């Protein structure tokens, strides 16, 4: 009988628990909570963050080599500009990825790794041409990636980053083409 009395008492207290005076968390399980920043990002946004991250790393690494090896003052100025602007872009992207809970790729993709190796292995006479060719290839792919994000991304902040930085990337491409003697 004692066991039935305890269960009866517990059942009698259930309605009182529902009358909790502190209503602030009464509906936590039933009211939809705002989505976290990480859940508002779509797959396109995550791919873009990774692509932009690897692009910045490629530009930084190849341009550091160019500062050491190029004999052309114009190419050295361009390389320093790449380092300055892609360092700033990386800082912006790192902050954005942090607020979105997105992981950033730290390595280069296979194409970028191949281009970096070509720059590192280029003979002195072919260095500037090889470096600028890699810049054109890299920035062409980056422009396409930024345009894809602007068109197809779902996260407003990630799209805004792409829109803000696209003109800079397009200018880098135009400068690399001009230095290489291409249009």
């Amino acid at each position: 009988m004692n066991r039935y009395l305890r269960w009866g008492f517990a059942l009698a207290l259930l309605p009182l628990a529902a009358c909790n005076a502190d209503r602030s968390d009464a509906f936590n399980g039933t009211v939809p909570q705002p989505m976290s920043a990480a859940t508002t990002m779509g797959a396109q946004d995550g791919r873009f963050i990774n692509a932009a991250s690897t692009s910045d790393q490629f530009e930084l690494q190849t341009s550091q080599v160019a500062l050491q090896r190029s004999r052309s003052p114009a190419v050295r100025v361009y390389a320093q500009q790449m380092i300055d602007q892609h360092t700033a872009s990386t800082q912006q992207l790192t902050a954005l990825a942090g607020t979105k809970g997105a992981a950033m790729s730290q390595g280069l993709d296979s194409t970028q790794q191949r281009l970096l190796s070509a720059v590192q292995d280029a003979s002195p006479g072919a260095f500037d041409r090889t470096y600028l060719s890699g810049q054109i290839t890299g920035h062409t792919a980056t422009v396409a990636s930024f345009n894809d994000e602007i068109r197809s991304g779902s996260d407003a902040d990630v799209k805004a980053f792409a829109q803000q930085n696209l003109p800079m990337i397009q200018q880098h491409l135009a400068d690399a083409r001009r230095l290489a003697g291409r249009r």
Side-chain angles (χ1 to χ4, degrees):
M1 180 80 169
N2 193 11
R3 184 173 62 169
Y4 293 115
L5 189 59
R6 276 186 268 164
W7 278 105
F9 183 70
L11 288 172
L13 290 178
L14 274 174
L16 291 176
C19 296
N20 182 3
D22 179 13
R23 303 297 287 175
S24 64
D25 68 339
F27 295 104
N28 271 351
T30 59
V31 174
Q33 298 297 313
M35 293 173 55
S36 71
T39 59
T40 62
M41 278 187 21
Q44 165 64 29
D45 302 309
R47 283 190 303 273
F48 171 77
I49 286 175
N50 278 320
S53 173
T54 61
S55 173
D56 279 345
Q57 293 311 308
F58 172 75
E59 300 304 334
L60 290 168
Q61 290 179 34
T62 57
S63 294
Q64 287 166 350
V65 174
L67 279 182
Q68 296 168 1
R69 297 204 42 217
S70 178
R71 294 179 182 163
S72 165
V75 170
R76 291 175 56 79
V77 166
Y78 175 83
Q80 186 61 57
Q81 180 184 7
M82 293 306 97
I83 291 170
D84 295 345
Q85 292 181 349
H86 284 282
T87 296
S89 173
T90 297
Q91 290 169 347
Q92 261 188 311
L93 188 62
T94 300
L96 176 62
T99 64
K100 300 298 177 179
M104 286 177 40
S105 176
Q106 297 301 314
L108 302 179
D109 67 27
S110 60
T111 300
Q112 293 164 333
Q113 187 60 54
R114 182 179 48 75
L115 291 169
L116 174 60
S117 293
V119 168
Q120 292 169 331
D121 297 339
S123 67
F127 180 82
D128 289 343
R129 185 175 53 253
T130 304
Y131 169 68
L132 292 170
S133 177
Q135 292 298 301
I136 292 167
T137 300
H139 282 99
T140 299
T142 303
V143 166
S145 175
F146 276 55
N147 279 323
D148 285 348
E149 176 60 24
I150 292 166
R151 255 190 326 275
S152 305
S154 59
D155 187 276
D157 296 329
V158 178
K159 287 175 77 163
F161 172 87
Q163 289 170 330
Q164 175 188 354
N165 287 283
L166 179 60
M168 174 188 71
I169 303 301
Q170 291 169 324
Q171 186 61 54
H172 293 172
L173 177 58
D175 291 345
R177 285 180 173 153
R178 180 183 46 78
L179 285 169
R182 298 183 197 173
R183 295 281 170 215

